[in-house]
Amino acid sequence: MRRAVAVRLSALLAAGALTAAAGVALSTTTASAATGGVTGYATQNGGTTGGAGGQTVRATTGTAIHQALCSRASSSTPITIQVEGTINHGNTAKVSGSSCNTAAGVIELKQISNVTIVGVGNGAVFDQLGIHIRESSNIIIQNVTVRNVKKSGSPTSNGGDAIGMESGVRNVWVDHVTLEASGGESEGYDGLFDMKDNTQYVTLSYSVLRNSGRGGLIGSSESDRSNGYVTFHHNLYENIDSRAPLLRGGIAHMYNNHYKRLNESGINSRAGARAKVDNNYFEDSKDVLGTFYTSEAGYWQVGGNVFDNVTWSSRSGDHNPAGPNPTSNTSVSIPYGFTLDGANCVPSVVAQTAGANKGLKVSDGSCTPQSPDPTDPGPTDPGEPTDPDPTDPPVGTNLSLGAGADGSSKASGTSYGNVTDGNTNTYWSPSGSTGSVSVKWGSATTVAKVNIRLASGSGTIGAYRLLNNDTGAVLASGSGAGTVSFSPASLKKITLEITNASGTPRIAEFETYAN
């Protein structure tokens, strides 16, 4: 529908690709979820803490993210999921469980609460794969990139939204993320950040939204006015055709954002919406504030904004820009505290803080970026599920030697018993890429650590679960091979369940230890 993005996209993506490549190659900062830094409307209605106080797990695939959600005791058990690597359609499958409701081809946060998803290490990229939040509350998404999510063409995901929220969503903080497309609706893309059907108390902070026909919306239609209480601050909107954002009803607060190359329109307040627009910097853009494409008016309160090379068109019919000299036509009361950077320094501050892999830097209102102290350093409890560490081989007696073994299936020429024979030259493989193998004893045995050794030529384990086969309880989950520790469990049978893999895994040894 709108092609201005596509017209200039090649040059912008060429420059952006160099920046992104350098960022991925050079970044070594391990980010942590700074839940103490939540701001804006996400601080209201009881606040937003995400997975604070719960377990911290690692995930390198979409399936592992889903598995972490499904391995919780309940759908509200707090959890922080640290993500590193590229999440895509090839490694994101549906996982079932009583504490989750997931789907393939999308990161599904549905009918759950108390979750943090945070990118760590060299970064987390959700490639052509959207994040869908539905009927959920108390969610934090931080330090990730979501790119090129399509609603038409192939592959499709999440209705074309990079991050989409709908159906009774409450208290979401999205922080230091990069959301980007490669064109507009005619190229198969939709919104970067959409909220609809009764979504409230949301903050989008220190993020980059770029190269899209549509930045995002609050409300799916003129009648969907049940959304609101949304804060946008210290974000960069760059090369966006419209919807920066589109507001249908409700209240929104925009402060200290940098709007650059809004090609057709910017903040579109309509259908009774009220926007408080403070100390933003609008640059090289057109019709950055007003009521557009409807006769149902919206309202705004403005102050301290800079309009740098902004053009304004004439008012006509359903096209009603606020300029060329925007003035307030409503008053909006903000219930939370906030400190404004001067509008003139916003481009510099936002450039240094906004987006993924920026070290979670923030501004304190002094126009100088600050590095926050980590509030969640990651897995520290040895009983928490973590990625296995192949560089930390266990010590003590391998309890699997002499134990029995069985499983769900085995490839031709392999044996379940090969995982307990102490010989790394023999192995078990499932008949496909996924399956399970178990170690069992005649009497209850205490196990607190497992070491998975792969044979030469093995495929990669994308996601797994360790199960207490006696009770069905999940002892640990993760990806890859090596050592993983968990709370000591007394059991007669322990199962390694491989739920996602690249190639065919070859399990040479399934070692078990008491400590």
Side-chain angles (χ1 to χ4, degrees), residues 28-50:
T28 57
T29 300
T30 298
S32 300
T35 54
V38 63
T39 53
Y41 273 115
T43 65
Q44 305 298 290
N45 190 44
T48 304
T49 58

Side-chain angles (χ1 to χ4, degrees), residues 286-299:
K286 177 182 177 182
D287 290 340
V288 298
L289 175 64
T291 296
F292 308 107
Y293 321 119
T294 183
S295 59
E296 297 191 41
Y299 308 95

Side-chain angles (χ1 to χ4, degrees), residues 282-319:
F282 299 90
E283 180 179 7
D284 299 336
S285 297
K286 177 182 177 182
D287 290 340
V288 298
L289 175 64
T291 296
F292 308 107
Y293 321 119
T294 183
S295 59
E296 297 191 41
Y299 308 95
W300 45 84
Q301 180 182 351
V302 295
N305 302 287
V306 170
F307 301 93
D308 180 3
N309 193 31
V310 170
T311 59
W312 301 90
S313 55
S314 301
R315 297 186 179 187
S316 175
D318 62 3
H319 189 81

Side-chain angles (χ1 to χ4, degrees), residues 335-347:
Y336 52 82
F338 61 98
T339 303
L340 292 172
D341 285 303
N344 283 318
C345 72
V346 163

Side-chain angles (χ1 to χ4, degrees), residues 57-71 79 81-84 87 91-93 95 100 102 106-109 115-117 124 126 129 131 462-463 477-478:
V57 303
R58 296 277 182 137
T60 58
T61 68
T63 303
I65 294 173
H66 284 160
Q67 190 61 67
L69 296 172
C70 295
S71 298
I79 189 170
I81 305 172
Q82 296 180 333
V83 183
E84 184 173 17
I87 310 301
N91 63 30
T92 301
V95 178
C100 65
T102 71
V106 62
I107 297 302
E108 191 83 308
L109 308 180
V115 173
T116 293
I117 293 177
F126 294 79
L129 198 79
I131 298 175
S477 61

Side-chain angles (χ1 to χ4, degrees), residues 200-220:
Q200 298 179 2
Y201 301 105
V202 176
T203 295
L204 176 67
S205 56
Y206 297 101
S207 295
V208 173
L209 298 87
R210 63 187 172 206
N211 301 332
S212 177
R214 296 169 172 175
L217 58 77
I218 302 174
S220 60

Side-chain angles (χ1 to χ4, degrees), residues 184-204:
E185 188 177 28
S186 60
E187 287 77 34
Y189 305 97
D190 197 11
L192 295 177
F193 194 72
D194 281 11
M195 293 156 280
K196 53 191 177 183
D197 189 15
N198 195 20
T199 293
Q200 298 179 2
Y201 301 105
V202 176
T203 295
L204 176 67

